[in-house]
PDB file of all heavy atoms in Angstrom:
ATOM      1  N   ALA A 133     -69.464  19.667 -15.846  1.00  0.00           N
ATOM      2  CA  ALA A 133     -69.291  19.145 -17.195  1.00  0.00           C
ATOM      3  C   ALA A 133     -70.256  18.004 -17.465  1.00  0.00           C
ATOM      4  O   ALA A 133     -70.641  17.764 -18.607  1.00  0.00           O
ATOM      5  CB  ALA A 133     -67.858  18.669 -17.394  1.00  0.00           C
ATOM      6  N   HIS A 135     -73.362  17.860 -16.532  1.00  0.00           N
ATOM      7  CA  HIS A 135     -74.692  18.378 -16.831  1.00  0.00           C
ATOM      8  C   HIS A 135     -74.695  19.247 -18.087  1.00  0.00           C
ATOM      9  O   HIS A 135     -75.731  19.428 -18.699  1.00  0.00           O
ATOM     10  CB  HIS A 135     -75.206  19.201 -15.644  1.00  0.00           C
ATOM     11  CG  HIS A 135     -75.354  18.385 -14.388  1.00  0.00           C
ATOM     12  ND1 HIS A 135     -76.327  17.431 -14.235  1.00  0.00           N
ATOM     13  CD2 HIS A 135     -74.623  18.370 -13.250  1.00  0.00           C
ATOM     14  CE1 HIS A 135     -76.218  16.865 -13.043  1.00  0.00           C
ATOM     15  NE2 HIS A 135     -75.190  17.422 -12.430  1.00  0.00           N
ATOM     16  N   SER A 136     -73.560  19.780 -18.461  1.00  0.00           N
ATOM     17  CA  SER A 136     -73.506  20.660 -19.618  1.00  0.00           C
ATOM     18  C   SER A 136     -72.287  20.296 -20.448  1.00  0.00           C
ATOM     19  O   SER A 136     -71.222  20.875 -20.303  1.00  0.00           O
ATOM     20  CB  SER A 136     -73.451  22.132 -19.174  1.00  0.00           C
ATOM     21  OG  SER A 136     -73.405  22.981 -20.286  1.00  0.00           O
ATOM     22  N   VAL A 137     -72.448  19.297 -21.319  1.00  0.00           N
ATOM     23  CA  VAL A 137     -71.324  18.797 -22.093  1.00  0.00           C
ATOM     24  C   VAL A 137     -70.853  19.822 -23.099  1.00  0.00           C
ATOM     25  O   VAL A 137     -69.662  19.953 -23.387  1.00  0.00           O
ATOM     26  CB  VAL A 137     -71.726  17.492 -22.809  1.00  0.00           C
ATOM     27  CG1 VAL A 137     -70.566  16.963 -23.644  1.00  0.00           C
ATOM     28  CG2 VAL A 137     -72.175  16.455 -21.799  1.00  0.00           C
ATOM     29  N   ASN A 138     -71.784  20.608 -23.671  1.00  0.00           N
ATOM     30  CA  ASN A 138     -71.439  21.558 -24.709  1.00  0.00           C
ATOM     31  C   ASN A 138     -70.975  22.901 -24.172  1.00  0.00           C
ATOM     32  O   ASN A 138     -70.720  23.818 -24.939  1.00  0.00           O
ATOM     33  CB  ASN A 138     -72.652  21.787 -25.621  1.00  0.00           C
ATOM     34  CG  ASN A 138     -73.063  20.513 -26.340  1.00  0.00           C
ATOM     35  OD1 ASN A 138     -72.204  19.703 -26.691  1.00  0.00           O
ATOM     36  ND2 ASN A 138     -74.352  20.329 -26.558  1.00  0.00           N
ATOM     37  N   MET A 139     -70.893  23.036 -22.863  1.00  0.00           N
ATOM     38  CA  MET A 139     -70.466  24.306 -22.288  1.00  0.00           C
ATOM     39  C   MET A 139     -68.976  24.507 -22.536  1.00  0.00           C
ATOM     40  O   MET A 139     -68.191  23.598 -22.326  1.00  0.00           O
ATOM     41  CB  MET A 139     -70.748  24.324 -20.782  1.00  0.00           C
ATOM     42  CG  MET A 139     -70.335  25.635 -20.105  1.00  0.00           C
ATOM     43  SD  MET A 139     -70.607  25.556 -18.329  1.00  0.00           S
ATOM     44  CE  MET A 139     -72.395  25.328 -18.292  1.00  0.00           C
ATOM     45  N   PRO A 140     -68.557  25.695 -23.002  1.00  0.00           N
ATOM     46  CA  PRO A 140     -67.127  25.943 -23.206  1.00  0.00           C
ATOM     47  C   PRO A 140     -66.365  25.804 -21.902  1.00  0.00           C
ATOM     48  O   PRO A 140     -66.751  26.362 -20.883  1.00  0.00           O
ATOM     49  CB  PRO A 140     -67.096  27.388 -23.737  1.00  0.00           C
ATOM     50  CG  PRO A 140     -68.476  27.646 -24.255  1.00  0.00           C
ATOM     51  CD  PRO A 140     -69.386  26.830 -23.409  1.00  0.00           C
ATOM     52  N   GLN A 141     -65.258  25.061 -21.945  1.00  0.00           N
ATOM     53  CA  GLN A 141     -64.493  24.791 -20.741  1.00  0.00           C
ATOM     54  C   GLN A 141     -63.162  25.541 -20.707  1.00  0.00           C
ATOM     55  O   GLN A 141     -62.478  25.518 -19.697  1.00  0.00           O
ATOM     56  CB  GLN A 141     -64.222  23.292 -20.623  1.00  0.00           C
ATOM     57  CG  GLN A 141     -65.477  22.457 -20.493  1.00  0.00           C
ATOM     58  CD  GLN A 141     -66.231  22.741 -19.215  1.00  0.00           C
ATOM     59  OE1 GLN A 141     -65.630  22.982 -18.169  1.00  0.00           O
ATOM     60  NE2 GLN A 141     -67.545  22.734 -19.285  1.00  0.00           N
TER      61      GLN A 141
END
Side-chain angles (χ1 to χ4, degrees):
H135 298 290
S136 180
V137 179
N138 297 325
M139 180 183 298
Q141 298 295 323

